[in-house]
Amino acid sequence: MLDFVPNHMGLDHPWVEDHPDYFIAGTELDRARVPQNYTWVKRKQGDLILAYGRDPYFAGWLTRSSSITLTRPCERR
């Protein structure tokens, strides 16, 4: 069985380091309000908070993935 989820990437994917702008970023306030939806990600170029991969109707549950933002044309290709 294949579970294809094109709008999530693993937290260890090279894009996290090279293209963090591809992901939904969070803030300390986001993480304080809904910690189940955000995580700190360690990077060589500086740590950042990213949203966990999740269904929009439920809390974050894909704790080894992060959601890709689909607001820019390059992510929608």
Side-chain angles (χ1 to χ4, degrees):
M1 178 183 294
L2 174 65
D3 184 10
F4 180 66
V5 185
N7 62 336
H8 300 96
M9 287 288 172
L11 294 173
D12 58 349
H13 192 280
W15 285 358
V16 172
E17 189 71 42
D18 301 334
H19 299 283
D21 54 315
Y22 287 2
F23 297 89
I24 297 175
T27 65
E28 286 279 5
L29 184 58
D30 293 327
R31 193 159 186 272
R33 286 183 181 161
V34 280
Q36 69 274 17
N37 290 344
Y38 295 91
T39 187
W40 274 105
V41 178
K42 302 278 186 200
R43 299 173 54 241
K44 293 175 190 168
Q45 299 176 17
D47 300 348
L48 66 143
I49 296 174
L50 294 179
Y52 280 132
R54 68 185 193 95
D55 182 294
Y57 300 104
F58 300 99
W61 55 274
L62 296 170
T63 58
R64 292 185 304 191
S65 70
S66 185
S67 292
I68 295 175
T69 179
L70 300 176
T71 59
R72 300 179 333 161
C74 67
E75 285 91 14
R76 286 182 277 184
R77 286 189 253 149

